[in-house]
Amino acid sequence: MITKILIANRGEIACRIIRTARKMGIATVAVYSEADADALHVEKADEAVLIGPAPASESYLRIDAILDAAKRTGADAIHPGYGFLSENPDFVERVNKAGLIFIGPSAKAIRAMGLKDAAKALMEKANVPVVPGYHGEAQELVVLAGKANEIGFPVLIKARAGGGGKGMRKVERQEDFPAALSSARREAKASFGDDRVLVEKYVATPRHIEIQVFGDSHGNVVHLFERDCSAQRRHQKVIEEAPAPDMPEDMREAMGAAAVQAAKAINYSGAGTVEFIVDASEGLMADKFWFMEMNTRLQVEHPVTELITGLDLVEWQIRVAAGEPLPLAQDQLSINGHAVEARIYAEDAEKGFLPAVGRLMHLQFPEGDIRVDAGVRAGDEITPFYDPMIAKVIAHGTTRAEALGKLAGALGRTEIAGTVTNTAFLIRLCRDADFAAGRLDTGLIDRNIASLTERVTAPEAIAALAVLAASGMVGSGTEPPASVASIGPFEIWGAPRRMVSLEIDGQSRGFTVEREAASDWRVAGEGLGAGDMHLKVVRRTGDDWSFSADGVSKRCRLVQNGTEVAVFHEGLTYRFVKPRGTRSDDLAAGGDQVVSMMPGIVKQVLVSEGQEVKSGEPMVIMEAMKMEMTLAAPRDGVVAEVLVSTGAQVADGVSLVRLTAEADAA
C-alpha cells in the first residue's frame, strides 16, 4: 500500500497528482526549485523540499536531490508526472534501488520505447505497422541525405530521443536537407542530450491519432480508446480531443488492438500512449495507420480520455504501481460523449508564437461545466526557465459540436492579464470552419495561420475606456474619483482634465481625458474616431465597468497594474501598455540592431564584424523556453559589432548584433 508520494515534477501536473492522491487518502511531497518557492504545487502538497536553483538541470533533473527529498520525508513512492525525468530509465532504476515504488513502467520498457529507431524495429517484429523510413545507426550527412533521396521528398527528420516536436524538421527539397539536419540535431542535443536522428516518409495528409493503453503487473493490458491530436503547430499539440472525429469502428478496433499488441510486446505496466500517424487523404481507413512512437508516461492530454470514460487515470497509475490488477477489463470500457482540451500558453501568436514571460496580475477561469487543470494562480510569474503553459481548459459534451462550443465559450470567459496568451488563437481555431467540421490533418493550422493569428485592433470605444482607466479619474463604487481627492494642473480652471500616454498597437500615443458631466467623459487623441470619443454613463464597480458610446451600451471587465491595462470584452482580451521609458528595442527602431525577443541562451552566432548581410539572413540562433529561434538581419547592411558570444545568457531586449548605420554606410 502506498502511503506517501513524492511528485518529481512541478506546475499543473504536480497539482493534478496531488488532487487524486488526496482523494485516495495518500500524503504528498512536492519538490521545488528556487524559482518555484511560492508555486501552487508547493502550497497544495502536504510537505515540500527545495532541491536546487531555477535551471531544471540543477533542480528537477537532479536524481540525487529528488531521492534525498524522498528519504528525508519518508515517501514510499515517486510519481514523475510528464517531462523532466518521467521517461528516464536510469531514474527508474535509482528509485527502485532506493527501495521506493516508481509510479510508471519499468526501466526495461522505457528503454525499449525510448529511442524511436529501436522502438520501430521492435514494433516491426511485433507485427505493428510502422512508417516507411530509415532507422539505422549511421548518422553521417551523406548517408542520411542518401536515405532521404531513396524515401522521396518530402521527408521528416526526427530526433531518436525525446518528443514534443523537439528535433523535428520537415524537409521539402534535397538542397534544404543539410541545414534542416543541423538544426534538428542542435535542438535534439539541447533537449535530450542526444543528437542522433531518423528519417521518415512525410505523410501528405496526416492525422495524429494516439491510443491510451494501460497495463498491470499481472499481464493484463487494455486500451482506453483514441485521442486525436492533429491540431498542431511546430509538431506540438494545440487542441486534443477524444474520440477522433469520423473514426470508423473497424479502425478503432484495429488501432486499439495494435496498441495493446505493442504494450504486450514489452510487458508494459502503467499508463502509456501509442502514437500513430494516419493517412487521411481518402478518409480514415483501417489499413492506413502506422506506429510513430510510444510515450511511456501519462500524457498532457489525458483529461479528455478521463472525461469520455469517467475514469481517473492517475488513480489507475497509483493502484497498478501498488501491485493491484487493472480495475476494469476491455469489455467493461466504453465511450461517453466527446471531450476537447485546449492548452493556454503564455505566447504571442501574432509574433510566431514567441514564448512570453510576465507576472499574472489577474487570472480568472470560467465556472460551470468546464474542467480547468492549472498550476498557477493570480500573482504567479511565468519565467523563462520552464514550459510557459498556464492551464488546460477541457470541455465535455454529448456531441463534438457541443463540446467545441463549450470550449470556445470557456476560453472567451478566461481572463488573464500580465502576459500575452494564445487564447484568441484557440477560440478562432475552435470556430475555424475546417476544424469545426472535423476536416483535420496536422497541416490545418499552418494553412490557416493568417486568419487564426490576425491582429485584432481594439474598438475605439474600448481603447478610449482603457485611456480613461489609466487616467485614474474614475472611482469605484461609492469611492470618489481620484480627481476629487487631488486636483491636477489642468483642473484648476474649468472641467477636470488630464493628459495620458498609452501604447496602442505598439505605438505610444498621447490622449486628453476630460469630464463632461458627473459620469460622462471625453477622450481625445489619435486613433479615436474623429479624434475623440464620448463615453457616457460610465459606471465602475471594482473591475466591472459599464458605459455607453455612440448610443450602444457595453459591459466589460478591466484590470490594470503599473505597466498594463487589460480589457476583457466579448471573449477577447485587449492589452494596452503604459509607457515604461526607453528600451533597447526602441533603439533598434531604425533597423540597425538585432535584439533578443525574450530571455534565453545564445546557441550560435552566425556573423562576424565587417560581414555583409542581406535582409532576412540568419544572424543569431537563440534558445528560450525549450524553443530554438533564429534572429535575422532587419535589412541589408554591414555588421558593425557583435555584442554576444555563443553560450551567453541574455535578458529580454538586449542588443545582440549592431549593423553599420545606413547613413554611415552611404
Side-chain angles (χ1 to χ4, degrees):
M1 180 64 183
I2 294 173
T3 61
K4 184 183 286 189
I5 297 173
L6 181 142
I7 303 163
N9 219 295
R10 65 179 298 279
E12 169 267 325
I13 184 54
C15 293
R16 166 72 187 87
I17 295 165
I18 290 168
R19 187 165 68 245
T20 289
R22 182 161 294 155
K23 180 184 70 174
M24 298 176 68
I26 300 173
T28 55
V29 179
V31 293
Y32 65 95
S33 70
E34 292 173 354
D36 280 340
D38 298 319
L40 185 59
H41 76 282
V42 175
E43 176 186 294
K44 286 184 172 294
D46 297 297
E47 298 175 85
V49 180
L50 174 66
I51 55 172
S57 60
E58 300 177 41
S59 51
Y60 295 106
L61 294 175
R62 289 182 58 207
I63 295 176
D64 289 339
I66 290 170
L67 293 178
D68 179 66
K71 180 180 179 180
R72 289 163 57 191
T73 57
D76 51 9
I78 291 181
H79 195 307
Y82 35 70
F84 294 134
L85 295 168
S86 62
E87 294 181 281
N88 185 321
D90 295 334
F91 179 51
V92 179
E93 290 175 341
R94 292 283 301 277
V95 170
N96 295 154
K97 187 176 180 180
L100 303 172
I101 296 171
F102 181 77
I103 302 177
S106 66
K108 184 177 180 181
I110 293 175
R111 283 198 176 95
M113 291 297 185
L115 298 176
K116 296 182 181 68
D117 50 359
K120 290 178 188 297
L122 181 61
M123 290 300 98
E124 284 180 317
K125 291 181 181 179
N127 295 317
V128 176
V130 301
V131 181
Y134 172 71
H135 314 130
E137 287 294 322
Q139 293 290 300
E140 294 83 3
L141 170 60
V142 64
V143 173
L144 295 175
K147 294 297 181 181
N149 286 332
E150 291 177 14
I151 296 166
F153 289 92
V155 299
L156 200 60
I157 300 172
K158 297 173 67 174
R160 72 196 294 253
K166 306 300 182 185
M168 187 181 296
R169 298 291 186 274
K170 177 186 175 184
V171 189
E172 299 273 7
R173 306 177 304 166
Q174 180 181 6
E175 54 266 38
D176 297 332
F177 190 86
L181 177 63
S182 296
S183 180
R185 280 176 164 164
R186 258 194 323 271
E187 193 170 71
K189 184 70 173 180
S191 299
F192 317 121
D194 185 345
D195 66 356
R196 287 170 289 181
V197 301
L198 49 86
V199 183
E200 292 181 345
K201 177 64 180 174
Y202 182 81
V203 179
T205 311
R207 291 260 299 262
H208 181 139
I209 298 178
E210 60 190 30
I211 304 291
Q212 175 73 62
V213 295
F214 239 104
D216 62 24
S217 57
H218 304 276
N220 302 307
V221 180
V222 299
H223 71 83
L224 281 72
F225 312 108
E226 79 277 1
R227 295 185 290 255
D228 196 311
C229 306
S230 301
Q232 301 179 3
R233 59 163 189 80
R234 295 186 185 135
H235 306 290
Q236 292 184 317
K237 302 164 187 174
V238 175
I239 289 182
E240 304 98 349
E241 58 185 302
D246 302 322
M247 170 66 80
E249 191 56 40
D250 64 333
M251 185 173 183
R252 175 174 291 128
E253 291 179 3
M255 293 186 75
V260 168
Q261 193 170 338
K264 286 184 175 181
I266 57 172
N267 298 315
Y268 196 80
S269 179
T273 300
V274 183
E275 302 195 350
F276 295 97
I277 191 75
V278 176
D279 182 354
S281 58
E282 299 178 9
L284 299 184
M285 303 172 68
D287 61 347
K288 291 290 185 71
F289 68 90
W290 300 278
F291 172 87
M292 286 198 301
E293 61 183 328
M294 183 176 184
N295 290 310
T296 52
R297 53 171 167 78
L298 196 68
Q299 292 278 90
V300 177
E301 59 271 21
H302 75 273
V304 295
T305 297
E306 292 184 323
L307 289 181
I308 66 165
T309 60
L311 303 173
D312 184 331
L313 299 193
V314 175
E315 180 177 347
W316 274 40
Q317 283 187 297
I318 295 171
R319 294 193 181 282
V320 166
E324 297 181 25
L326 291 176
L328 297 173
Q330 190 68 59
D331 60 4
Q332 295 174 293
L333 298 167
S334 60
I335 297 174
N336 174 30
H338 201 98
V340 192
E341 172 183 298
R343 307 182 188 189
I344 299 179
Y345 280 94
E347 62 183 10
D348 194 336
E350 296 175 6
K351 295 181 179 179
F353 297 94
L354 188 70
V357 295
R359 189 169 298 279
L360 301 172
M361 67 178 191
H362 176 79
L363 181 64
Q364 182 169 305
F365 295 114
E367 298 178 353
D369 186 21
I370 292 293
R371 172 172 167 176
V372 177
D373 286 8
V376 294
R377 56 208 185 296
D380 286 349
E381 185 174 3
I382 304 298
T383 73
F385 299 109
Y386 314 114
D387 186 274
M389 187 169 73
I390 295 173
K392 302 182 304 191
V393 179
I394 314 104
H396 180 261
T398 305
T399 65
R400 182 175 187 266
E402 180 185 344
L404 270 180
K406 285 184 176 181
L407 180 61
L411 291 168
R413 299 194 305 277
T414 298
E415 299 177 3
I416 303 173
T419 185
V420 63
T421 73
N422 65 339
T423 52
F425 161 74
L426 293 172
I427 293 170
R428 287 176 174 174
L429 180 56
C430 287
R431 294 171 175 166
D432 176 84
D434 288 332
F435 185 77
R439 295 190 291 268
L440 299 176
D441 65 74
T442 58
L444 183 147
I445 289 178
D446 285 341
R447 287 195 302 274
N448 300 338
I449 196 67
S451 61
L452 293 173
T453 60
E454 183 180 3
R455 174 181 290 274
V456 178
T457 301
E460 295 165 358
I462 296 298
L465 182 69
V467 173
L468 176 59
S471 75
M473 298 176 73
V474 180
S476 177
T478 58
E479 299 174 10
S483 58
V484 173
S486 175
I487 297 177
F490 295 97
E491 300 168 21
I492 299 176
W493 313 107
R497 179 185 301 175
R498 285 196 178 166
M499 304 297 294
V500 176
S501 293
L502 206 62
E503 287 185 17
I504 297 180
D505 293 333
Q507 295 183 352
S508 182
R509 299 176 179 176
F511 300 90
T512 301
V513 179
E514 180 179 327
R515 176 182 287 161
E516 297 182 314
S519 58
D520 296 350
W521 303 84
R522 173 179 172 269
V523 180
E526 181 185 357
L528 297 179
D532 61 3
M533 176 66 62
H534 297 269
L535 305 182
K536 298 184 178 296
V537 199
V538 177
R539 295 285 186 270
R540 175 190 171 197
T541 303
D543 294 334
D544 294 316
W545 292 66
S546 64
F547 64 97
S548 176
D550 294 331
V552 179
S553 297
K554 299 179 183 292
R555 300 183 65 86
C556 60
R557 285 173 58 79
L558 183 152
V559 297
Q560 60 178 318
N561 64 5
T563 62
E564 178 183 298
V565 179
V567 183
F568 307 102
H569 180 63
E570 295 184 343
L572 294 175
T573 301
Y574 301 100
R575 301 176 72 239
F576 305 90
V577 179
K578 300 177 182 179
R580 293 171 290 177
T582 301
R583 283 170 44 99
S584 56
D585 49 357
D586 295 328
L587 300 176
D592 292 339
Q593 300 189 44
V594 173
V595 178
S596 60
M597 304 299 290
M598 64 182 303
I601 298 173
V602 176
K603 303 301 292 184
Q604 272 192 304
V605 178
L606 305 174
V607 295
S608 57
E609 292 182 11
Q611 179 178 335
E612 292 186 4
V613 294
K614 297 291 185 181
S615 176
E617 182 177 337
M619 300 185 77
V620 177
I621 296 175
M622 283 187 61
E623 181 185 294
M625 287 183 165
K626 302 181 181 180
M627 184 182 77
E628 184 179 282
M629 61 189 78
T630 300
L631 305 181
R635 59 172 174 81
D636 294 354
V638 177
V639 177
E641 191 175 10
V642 176
L643 303 169
V644 291
S645 58
T646 299
Q649 178 82 45
V650 297
D652 176 25
V654 171
S655 295
L656 308 176
V657 178
R658 183 174 63 83
L659 300 181
T660 300
E662 291 185 283
D664 295 340

